[in-house]
Amino acid sequence: MSPVLDTAFIAPRDREEVVRHAVWESVVAVDIDHRPPAEDLSVRIGLGTVGPLRICSARATAVTIRRTERLAREDEEPAVFLGLQVTGTSLVAQNGRECVLGPGEFAVYESIAPYTLLFDEGVDHHFLRFPRAALALPDRLLRDTSSVILGPDNPIAPLAFTYFSQLAGSDELHQGVHADAVVEPSVELLRAVLTCQYGNSSLAKRPLEATLSLRITQYIRAHLADPGLSAARIAAAHGISVRHLYAVLSGSGISLGDWIRTHRLAECRRELAGPNGRRRTIAAIGRRWGFVDATHFSKVFKQAYGLSPRAWRDQNHPRSCA
């Protein structure tokens, strides 16, 4: 991953604040205690995203990172962090436990509880942030597997370390269709590592089923613009039959066709009223969100909102008089 922040190009007096801002904005809010004085401080950070996953690859001089009780309480989107040690050693402490990571080892820790990361020898580390909800694992399992070395004793861990290291370092996998293709395997691989570490992989099944409706709707939201989105494709993406798909959604009070149409119309409405609402034709905006037939798009839009797409756009972007 190419560095997006390098303190070599930042005035010494500004380095600590620039690093803190980058980490808080892109990764997580933490207290950062750099060991060297500002003029000797060196940090190179590469940042990336893969769907809902966030990646930070860092090389830096010695530092201590603390997620305090106050910051953990203020967490708006609970997350699970995966920390991979590339070279040297580091210490991870959370939930009354601590572990020292060596090269090729990794550990997880949660954003909703305080933790400390010690990099006495400097930093050569990949940090991957997963939405906690995406893992769909029990609270106790996550607590019991935090700040535990995930290494050679876990048969899945070496495979996972290689995979996540390559994911962190590959710019090509952080964009477009490539990113979409690796999100679910990444979540499933980390889930497999943690359930294996816990000693009972069957624990993953119940939360997976319990969150299936949520994961389906998240998938649909991510693919709303695809005119090829269909029940068969959605079902295949989640390893279930079309019949089971409809049953799961029905249990949540969701009609698949109505849900997709409603959310596509909402995106069209937002785009038509947005600052670029006149830069594209109404038909083009409809096609962008899966409405191939312009006449049909205009009809269902008016049925939903009480006025045509053109009237809605004109209401939000009045034409100036000559």
Side-chain angles (χ1 to χ4, degrees):
M1 183 186 297
S2 302
V4 297
L5 185 154
D6 190 338
T7 54
F9 302 100
I10 300 170
R13 67 177 181 276
D14 298 327
R15 289 175 182 174
E16 290 191 15
E17 178 56 28
V18 169
V19 171
R20 188 197 71 83
H21 181 76
V23 172
W24 278 52
E25 289 295 314
S26 302
V27 189
V28 68
V30 287
D31 289 343
I32 305 174
D33 179 15
H34 297 279
R35 306 289 180 80
E39 59 271 19
D40 297 327
L41 188 156
S42 175
V43 179
R44 298 177 75 243
I45 295 176
L47 300 169
T49 59
V50 180
L53 314 183
R54 300 182 192 177
I55 300 172
C56 173
S57 295
R59 290 187 178 182
T61 44
V63 66
T64 299
I65 298 172
R66 293 184 179 88
R67 177 81 164 166
T68 65
E69 184 80 43
R70 178 182 62 81
L71 293 173
R73 279 199 311 269
E74 295 173 355
D75 199 12
E76 295 181 358
E77 182 187 10
V80 173
F81 284 94
L82 175 61
L84 299 99
Q85 189 70 28
V86 181
T87 63
T89 61
S90 66
L91 181 144
V92 180
Q94 187 176 60
N95 295 328
R97 288 188 304 274
E98 61 182 42
C99 65
V100 176
L101 300 178
E105 295 176 334
F106 58 98
V108 297
Y109 44 97
E110 298 186 83
S111 67
I112 59 173
Y115 61 77
T116 300
L117 310 178
L118 300 178
F119 296 94
D120 289 336
E121 304 172 4
V123 182
D124 190 2
H125 209 79
H126 297 304
F127 304 86
L128 289 86
R129 174 179 173 140
F130 290 74
R132 196 173 188 270
L135 290 170
L137 290 171
D139 293 347
R140 181 172 180 178
L141 185 151
L142 290 173
R143 285 196 304 270
D144 289 351
T145 54
S146 70
S147 59
V148 173
I149 295 176
L150 301 169
D153 291 341
N154 185 319
I156 305 176
L159 169 66
F161 183 90
T162 300
Y163 172 88
F164 287 120
S165 295
Q166 292 178 348
L167 178 63
S170 174
D171 291 335
E172 292 77 12
L173 293 177
H174 300 168
Q175 51 193 321
V177 294
H178 302 298
D180 291 339
V182 299
V183 170
E184 189 168 351
S186 300
V187 171
E188 294 295 337
L189 181 55
L190 180 55
R191 195 198 325 272
V193 171
L194 295 179
T195 54
C196 178
Q197 187 73 28
Y198 197 67
N200 188 349
S201 59
S202 65
L203 286 173
K205 295 179 181 178
R206 289 192 300 274
L208 274 175
E209 185 65 26
T211 61
L212 184 55
S213 177
L214 174 62
R215 289 186 289 116
I216 288 170
T217 54
Q218 287 177 332
Y219 177 88
I220 297 172
R221 285 181 187 275
H223 296 83
L224 273 177
D226 186 349
L229 185 65
S230 65
R233 178 175 165 184
I234 297 166
H238 293 83
I240 60 176
S241 67
V242 171
R243 181 177 180 179
H244 187 45
L245 169 70
Y246 281 114
V248 168
L249 293 179
S250 177
S252 298
I254 295 173
S255 167
L256 181 60
D258 290 345
W259 198 96
I260 292 175
R261 181 169 57 253
T262 296
H263 285 78
R264 281 177 167 171
L265 285 171
E267 291 296 334
C268 292
R269 186 171 184 262
R270 176 190 57 78
E271 192 165 331
L272 286 165
N276 299 319
R278 285 201 178 276
R279 293 191 176 182
R280 305 178 70 188
T281 66
I282 290 172
I285 290 175
R287 283 195 301 272
R288 167 174 162 73
W289 293 104
F291 294 100
V292 178
D293 186 318
T295 302
H296 173 69
F297 168 52
S298 184
K299 179 181 178 181
V300 295
F301 189 98
K302 187 170 185 179
Q303 287 175 344
Y305 300 117
L307 70 172
S308 69
R310 186 175 304 280
W312 170 251
R313 186 176 66 177
D314 290 345
Q315 178 177 306
N316 287 273
H317 299 281
R319 292 186 180 276
S320 58
C321 297

